[in-house]
Each structure stands twice: as structure tokens, then as C-alpha cells.
């Protein structure tokens, strides 16, 4: 069965801290995505990656960076967390960029 | 500009009745459409999809209808159950046209099914 896992379900950090969110998929998918979900704003794409060491900016990349050193792992980094980055973060993977995406369980991040 | 629009942020339906969730798109290159369901504190899960060569796809209580000329799709849930209460996201892409564009999501509709 297809599996996307995220390192934490809930995380509480302080303003200014560096935050790492990790995502691992076991489907050998080329494509991986990071979204954030906020009420009324839907799923907003932060960054995506088509291959190892490749990354592309999504719709809201400001304040975030990513790393993809291995095919199965895609990390989202908040260099200096701010309160407006409090959100639900969702990772997804897919075989093709335009194809069905498989989502992880999400990380609820609170920045105080 | 939003390419996939779900104009109703919320919908309330009585248990046993039909739920109809709507989605409009603007990009005529889109040829693959999906619906996802999301419970609070969980990731979205795939529900049903349809390609542009069809106008209807059914899976149990869930049916998706596609009207290409109107650039409109809808998800019908019959009969609705309280466990269907969730946020439903519509998504679309130009999958079969060879484009490398990503799946584009709507903002979601929160469905509440009242017992």
C-alpha cells in the first residue's frame, strides 16, 4: 500500500527558530510537493521537486526552503519561523506532476 | 487567477439526502479531474477521478459528472452519511496532453451532513 509519512503530527516552535519538516514516500515517485492548508485558502503550493536535487518554487515560497537529497525524502525548512507560518503542512508525492497525488497525514505547526 | 474554483465554501445536508459539490475550471487544457476528501488533522485522501473522455464516473455512493462545454464538474454523494462530513477538494490537470503542469486544487467545500 502506498505510504507517505511526515516526521511529526504536531509541532510547537518559537518565533525565530529554524524548523525542519520531513517527508518520506515509499512509492519510488519522482515528484514531491509541500503545501500548507489554511481555513478559506485551500491548499497552497510552497515548493515541489521533480527529481533528486531539483526544486521549483510554488505559489508561496517566501520564508521557506527545501531539500531533496534522496528520491524518497523531501524536507521543508523554515529558516526563521514566524507566527504567520502557523499552519497545517502537507506533503504529497506523485508518479507524474499532473497525476494523482498521495498525501501524508500532515503536520500541524504552531509558532509562538 | 484561480484555474479551479469551488464557489461554495460550505454545504449542509441532511443524512440520507443527496450532496452535490460543484467545481468550475477555466483552463481548457485540463483533461483529468479528481476529488479529494479531507478530515481535520489528516491529509487529503483520493476519492474519485474522471478523464475528459468520459462524462460520468461512479464508485459506490460517489459519482462525478463532467460537463466539458461548461467547464464544470460535480460530485454527487447519495445517500449522504454523517461520516461524509469533511472538506472536499476538486483538482485538475492537463495530464494526457503531455504537459508537465502540476495538479491544481480548488479551495475546498466543507460538507456537513446532519443526522
Amino acid at each position: 500500500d502506498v505510504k507517505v509519512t511526515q516526521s511529526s503530527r504536531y509541532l510547537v516552535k518559537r518565533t525565530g527558530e529554524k524548523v525542519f519538516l520531513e517527508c518520506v514516500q515509499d512509492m519510488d515517485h519522482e515528484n514531491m510537493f509541500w503545501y500548507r492548508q489554511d481555513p478559506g485558502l485551500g491548499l497552497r503550493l510552497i515548493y515541489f521537486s521533480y527529481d533528486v536535487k531539483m526544486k521549483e518554487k510554488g505559489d508561496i515560497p517566501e520564508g521557506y526552503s527545501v531539500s531533496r537529497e534522496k528520491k524518497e525524502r523531501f524536507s521543508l525548512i523554515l529558516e526563521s519561523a514566524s507566527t504567520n507560518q502557523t499552519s497545517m503542512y502537507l506533503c504529497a508525492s506523485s508518479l507524474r506532476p499532473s497525476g494523482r497525488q498521495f498525501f501524508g497525514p500532515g503536520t500541524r505547526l504552531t509558532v509562538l | 487567477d484561480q484555474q479551479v474554483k469551488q464557489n461554495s465554501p460550505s454545504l449542509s445536508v441532511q443524512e440520507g439526502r443527496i450532496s452535490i459539490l460543484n467545481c468550475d475550471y477555466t483552463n481548457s487544457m485540463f483533461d483529468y479531474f479528481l476529488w479529494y476528501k479531507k478530515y481535520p488533522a489528516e491529509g487529503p485522501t483520493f476519492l474519485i477521478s474522471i478523464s475528459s473522455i468520459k462524462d460520468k464516473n461512479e464508485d459506490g455512493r460517489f459519482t462525478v459528472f463532467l460537463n466539458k462545454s461548461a467547464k464544470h464538474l460535480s460530485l454527487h454523494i447519495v445517500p449522504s452519511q454523517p461520516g461524509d462530513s469533511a472538506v472536499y477538494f476538486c483538482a485538475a490537470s492537463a495530464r494526457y496532453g503531455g504537459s508537465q503542469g502540476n495538479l491544481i486544487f480548488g479551495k475546498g467545500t466543507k460538507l456537513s451532513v446532519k443526522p
Side-chain angles (χ1 to χ4, degrees):
Chain A
D1 200 15
V2 156
K3 195 91 172 169
V4 178
T5 56
Q6 294 183 229
S7 49
S8 306
R9 293 298 302 273
Y10 299 93
L11 211 49
V12 179
K13 295 291 181 181
R14 298 234 173 251
T15 302
E17 278 192 83
K18 191 167 186 174
V19 182
F20 293 88
L21 302 181
E22 290 222 311
C23 175
V24 178
Q25 50 98 0
D26 66 358
M27 295 161 283
D28 203 35
H29 284 167
E30 302 286 343
N31 307 283
M32 296 188 75
F33 306 83
W34 273 106
Y35 295 89
R36 62 179 281 178
Q37 185 207 2
D38 301 286
L41 298 178
L43 300 173
R44 293 185 291 168
L45 182 63
I46 304 171
Y47 266 97
F48 58 100
S49 169
Y50 289 142
D51 203 349
V52 176
K53 300 215 189 276
M54 293 183 68
K55 60 185 179 185
E56 297 282 344
K57 291 180 180 179
D59 301 317
I60 51 162
E62 297 77 21
Y64 303 95
S65 62
V66 289
S67 171
R68 186 136 181 234
E69 297 296 319
K70 292 186 177 181
K71 190 176 186 179
E72 68 272 17
R73 192 178 297 268
F74 191 34
S75 301
L76 179 69
I77 303 149
L78 287 67
E79 295 290 343
S80 176
S82 63
T83 53
N84 63 12
Q85 292 178 310
T86 292
S87 185
M88 168 70 108
Y89 289 88
L90 294 157
C91 174
S93 72
S94 68
L95 194 55
R96 297 204 290 176
S98 55
R100 176 180 160 187
Q101 291 182 14
F102 296 83
F103 284 85
T107 296
R108 169 68 65 185
L109 172 67
T110 302
V111 183
L112 302 174
Chain B
D1 189 32
Q2 276 186 269
Q3 296 187 69
V4 177
K5 298 178 187 178
Q6 294 177 256
N7 291 319
S8 299
S10 62
L11 175 68
S12 185
V13 169
Q14 207 65 34
E15 181 179 6
R17 300 289 189 107
I18 184 171
S19 295
I20 300 176
L21 295 96
N22 294 303
C23 179
D24 297 297
Y25 61 96
T26 57
N27 189 337
S28 57
M29 299 298 291
F30 286 158
D31 53 20
Y32 180 56
F33 306 89
L34 307 87
W35 285 94
Y36 283 83
K37 175 179 178 179
K38 186 184 182 300
Y39 292 119
E42 292 185 15
T45 54
F46 169 76
L47 200 53
I48 193 168
S49 65
I50 188 168
S51 73
S52 58
I53 61 171
K54 301 173 87 172
D55 52 22
K56 175 183 173 182
N57 190 25
E58 209 168 337
D59 183 2
R61 295 186 299 113
F62 302 92
T63 303
V64 56
F65 294 92
L66 176 62
N67 182 335
K68 290 184 287 292
S69 60
K71 294 193 180 69
H72 177 82
L73 63 155
S74 59
L75 175 68
H76 292 211
I77 307 173
V78 186
S80 301
Q81 299 173 354
D84 296 329
S85 298
V87 176
Y88 289 79
F89 291 100
C90 169
S93 71
R95 179 178 182 185
Y96 301 105
S99 166
Q100 286 297 306
N102 292 334
L103 206 53
I104 306 295
F105 287 87
K107 292 191 174 183
T109 296
K110 184 176 182 179
L111 173 66
S112 300
V113 180
K114 309 291 185 189

